[in-house]
Amino acid sequence: QVQLVESGGGVVQPGRSLRLSCVASGFTFSRYVMHWVRQAPGKGLEWVAVIWNDGSNKVYAESVKGRFTISRDNSKNTLSLQMSSLRVDDTAVYYCVRGGSGWSWGQGTLVTVSS
Amino acid sequence: NFMLTQPHSVSESPGKTVTISCTRSSGSIASNYVQWYQQRPGSAPTTVIYDDNRRPSGVPDRFSGSIDSSSNSASLTISGLKTEDEADYYCQSYDSINLVVFGGGTKLTVL
């Protein structure tokens, strides 16, 4: 079955960088669009970014544009999110999500931005 | 961009039927597929409806989705409510620039 395992979360100071990873299994990774979605504590879901199956196109939410970079390595079934210039309001659980019809979600990794 | 508006909370008794609405602020609700996600406390979201009215395998047929162009809204209906259905539910769609839009979420209480 589909498995998405995120890692890389932790506590980081404002202005610093952090890189999240997601290892996929149970499906042909290179055939699917992949997303990052986040959820601040006690809040709703917020879409962050999407990358096409072949990496040819990337789209970002306005709130992260210019600060976050989504990438993928289809040879390693891995999705990444490079986050820089982190702000306190970037604090959230970050979910790796397989796109297409019927999204599949990972369990998430918590990023806390605090001084 | 458009917004998707959901009621903040709904409640109903076990065995009853509940409907959660998701109203699109501009543009036609039929323009882009609507998805629904269930999120139980402390867990990641899971898909219960995709492409307006399709159920992933493993989701019981008590869950159904529909769209209504007259009200420009989508609906998630859960029949035969069970206590395990108590969760937050989010609708989601796409805008014309491939951006993803989520509703604010609805807390379902089964009392």
Side-chain angles (χ1 to χ4, degrees):
Chain A
Q1 75 276 20
V2 174
Q3 270 206 306
L4 300 164
V5 180
E6 302 95 335
S7 61
V11 180
V12 61
Q13 292 180 326
R16 304 299 291 265
S17 298
L18 200 64
R19 186 178 184 87
L20 305 183
S21 294
C22 168
V23 177
S25 60
F27 65 101
T28 305
F29 182 70
S30 61
R31 291 184 180 175
Y32 287 86
V33 163
M34 296 295 296
H35 301 263
W36 286 100
V37 175
R38 69 183 180 182
Q39 185 172 36
K43 302 297 184 182
L45 301 173
E46 180 188 13
W47 173 78
V48 173
V50 62
I51 184 168
W52 262 228
N53 64 312
D54 60 359
S56 60
N57 196 19
K58 307 170 187 181
V59 183
Y60 300 90
E62 284 297 324
S63 58
V64 306
K65 197 175 290 185
R67 299 188 300 123
F68 289 12
T69 301
I70 189 172
S71 62
R72 65 191 296 160
D73 185 339
N74 286 346
S75 68
K76 297 181 179 178
N77 288 356
T78 299
L79 176 73
S80 298
L81 185 69
Q82 178 68 44
M83 305 185 293
S84 61
S85 303
L86 281 162
R87 309 190 297 223
V88 171
D89 62 358
D90 292 319
T91 294
V93 174
Y94 284 74
Y95 295 102
C96 167
V97 185
R98 188 192 77 172
S101 291
W103 286 9
S104 294
W105 299 69
Q107 286 305 303
T109 187
L110 175 62
V111 172
T112 302
V113 184
S114 172
S115 54
Chain B
N1 273 16
F2 60 87
M3 293 196 323
L4 296 172
T5 300
Q6 301 179 234
H8 185 256
S9 63
V10 296
S11 61
E12 189 51 271
S13 303
K16 299 292 188 179
T17 297
V18 70
T19 297
I20 300 172
S21 62
C22 171
T23 302
R24 179 166 168 159
S25 62
S26 62
S28 171
I29 191 70
S31 296
N32 306 93
Y33 282 132
V34 175
Q35 283 62 238
W36 291 90
Y37 306 105
Q38 176 192 68
Q39 187 177 33
R40 295 188 173 111
S43 296
T46 61
T47 302
V48 292
I49 294 290
Y50 69 97
D51 292 357
D52 294 342
N53 55 19
R54 303 186 70 173
R55 277 189 313 276
S57 60
V59 174
D61 60 7
R62 301 185 298 106
F63 289 80
S64 62
S66 64
I67 62 168
D68 180 357
S69 295
S70 65
S71 59
N72 212 35
S73 64
S75 295
L76 172 69
T77 299
I78 311 171
S79 60
L81 273 170
K82 301 184 176 184
T83 55
E84 68 202 47
D85 298 330
E86 190 161 288
D88 294 327
Y89 290 86
Y90 295 89
C91 61
Q92 173 261 311
S93 190
Y94 303 90
D95 79 1
S96 58
I97 322 174
N98 299 313
L99 295 180
V100 174
V101 180
F102 283 103
T106 298
K107 181 177 179 61
L108 169 62
T109 301
V110 182
L111 31 70

